[in-house]
Amino acid sequence: MNTAVRPAMVDRPSLLSPHRWLSPALFDYWAGQVNRLWTLRQPLARLLRREPAGEGACTLVLQTNRHWRGMQPGQHVTLGIEIDGRLLHRSYSPTLLGRNLLAITVKAVDGGRVSQYLVSQARRGSVFHIGEAFGEFSVPTAAPLLLLAAGSGITPMRSLLRALSARPLGAPVDVYYWERSHAGFSFREELLAMAAADPQLQVRLLATRDAQAPAARIDSVAFDSLGDVPLAQRHVLVCGPDGFVAAARNRLLHHVAGFQAEAFTAPAPPADDQGEVQLTLARSGRTLTVPRGRALLESLEAQGLKPKHGCRMGICNTCTCVRASGATRHLRTGQDQDEPAMPVRICVSAPTTDLVLDL
């Protein structure tokens, strides 16, 4: 009797598999002639439609291909958008609408090449690169929450609220959402409808430049209408520009049960960090003179360099490189770091001494 064991075939790539006889770039090219979302490995997203979302903003509804692995509510993704032959990357916080279907809301920024393009120029059918989801912005289960958002900071909050509202809330959730004017509020009707459907959810829309009655800003608003669950028992999530997040942190960090924050603009350079330092890029051997208090990514871009980066918020780790020697300061936390051969996120780190990076 023949007792030889036939080798398992599951570990062998099929002879018919395109991996065996076709490069990914060549496969993607020819498959894309039939359907632009067909690729061998590359996650892509196609623009299905554009919807208005507050003054100067719009929501892009995107369909992804099968290579995109999905996301958790509150996470971010990086889009790669080709404009005039150059691939530019920007990070956004999407809302899942269904299987392989998501919405990204973009507010046009003065001088913002990508935001202006997405809001007013990108055509239906345009295809973008889409990265894997990242970030740890999440809510504790059945905990009383206080969600604070300013401007585009409402987008991850919307994603979280839609997930929370899928069933009756188990604890109070209070939302404070700031915009400059009433015309700027995104998802206004959706947020108010969610609040009307669940007595545990309260939504407050605050316009800081309302001519009749301008709303109080984050550093002076009175959180005295939170019902039966006081501020000290709340878990707080904050998202908005860096100044807004910093003000919320100073106001609330040591007075609440939990605190998470994300800022979508670069932190301002510390007032006491003046002067310049020498930055050496070890791989290329270049030495540059850069400002002491400015984020390393911004300084490198100002010199015409294009280091790899993603979110520009210190979350995705795309821009991380090794600090071979010297010291840096984390611009969000103020923490000084001088250990040699340690990773540093150049989008939120500034040099405090002469510095050598493995770039």
Side-chain angles (χ1 to χ4, degrees):
M1 182 175 67
N2 185 2
T3 59
V5 178
R6 179 175 294 177
M9 299 299 294
V10 294
D11 293 329
R12 292 184 178 182
S14 169
L15 292 176
L16 298 178
S17 169
H19 295 262
R20 292 290 301 269
W21 50 269
L22 199 60
S23 72
L26 192 58
F27 177 90
D28 292 355
Y29 173 80
W30 288 110
Q33 305 304 306
V34 181
N35 185 321
R36 295 189 65 192
L37 290 185
W38 287 359
T39 66
L40 199 60
R41 302 186 185 95
Q42 176 67 50
L44 296 177
R46 177 168 52 204
L47 176 59
L48 298 182
R49 62 183 182 273
R50 194 164 39 222
E51 302 171 347
E55 189 174 52
C58 76
T59 294
L60 308 174
V61 178
L62 307 176
Q63 177 189 8
T64 71
N65 65 8
R66 65 186 181 87
H67 298 301
W68 190 64
R69 298 178 182 177
M71 57 169 285
Q72 296 298 316
Q75 287 191 303
H76 303 266
V77 299
T78 297
L79 287 187
I81 303 102
E82 186 172 336
I83 303 176
D84 297 332
R86 182 181 174 191
L87 188 63
L88 304 175
H89 294 88
R90 297 293 186 272
S91 295
Y92 301 98
S93 183
T95 298
L96 277 176
L97 302 179
R99 182 178 176 84
N100 299 116
L101 198 66
L102 64 153
I104 291 176
T105 298
V106 183
K107 182 166 288 189
V109 178
D110 290 341
R113 190 176 184 187
V114 173
S115 65
Q116 295 282 352
Y117 174 82
L118 292 176
V119 168
S120 60
Q121 299 175 40
R123 296 181 178 180
R124 179 181 176 183
S126 298
V127 173
F128 312 125
H129 294 257
I130 183 168
E132 299 300 334
F134 61 89
E136 300 177 357
F137 213 39
S138 60
V139 295
T141 304
L145 302 173
L146 177 60
L147 309 183
L148 308 176
S152 298
I154 194 61
T155 54
M157 302 301 187
R158 179 205 188 196
S159 182
L160 291 169
L161 285 169
R162 285 172 66 103
L164 288 170
S165 297
R167 58 181 60 88
L169 295 175
V173 177
D174 284 77
V175 180
Y176 286 72
Y177 171 22
W178 281 264
E179 281 284 2
R180 294 181 178 181
S181 67
H182 287 283
F185 288 113
S186 297
F187 323 122
R188 179 190 181 106
E189 289 74 18
E190 180 181 350
L191 294 171
L192 294 177
M194 283 192 285
D198 195 319
Q200 293 272 54
L201 175 61
Q202 300 293 321
V203 174
R204 297 167 179 84
L205 306 176
L206 302 103
T208 58
R209 297 186 182 179
D210 187 316
Q212 300 292 327
R217 297 180 181 273
I218 181 64
D219 53 0
S220 59
V221 68
F223 295 108
D224 54 4
S225 57
L226 295 179
D228 297 332
V229 182
L231 185 62
Q233 298 177 27
R234 299 280 179 149
H235 289 261
V236 178
L237 283 78
V238 185
C239 189
D242 186 71
F244 175 82
V245 170
R249 181 179 285 109
N250 292 336
R251 173 90 188 276
L252 299 171
L253 180 59
H254 301 296
H255 305 286
V256 295
F259 187 91
Q260 296 181 63
E262 289 183 353
F264 57 76
T265 60
D272 57 346
D273 273 351
Q274 303 296 323
E276 297 177 327
V277 300
Q278 297 299 302
L279 170 61
T280 300
L281 307 180
R283 296 185 194 176
S284 65
R286 293 186 62 177
T287 298
L288 311 171
T289 300
V290 299
R292 177 175 274 112
R294 188 180 187 184
L296 286 160
L297 176 58
E298 291 185 6
S299 293
L300 290 169
E301 290 177 332
Q303 299 268 2
L305 302 177
K306 300 174 183 177
K308 189 177 181 181
H309 67 276
C311 68
R312 306 181 79 95
M313 298 184 292
I315 302 173
C316 71
N317 291 318
T318 303
C319 69
T320 299
C321 67
V322 172
R323 182 185 57 246
S325 66
T328 57
R329 177 170 296 159
H330 195 293
L331 291 172
R332 298 213 187 280
T333 65
Q335 181 181 6
D336 290 318
Q337 301 165 324
D338 60 3
E339 301 89 345
M342 294 295 291
V344 57
R345 300 173 185 177
I346 62 174
C347 68
V348 290
S349 297
T352 56
T353 68
D354 289 347
L355 189 65
V356 179
L357 294 179
D358 185 22
L359 280 176

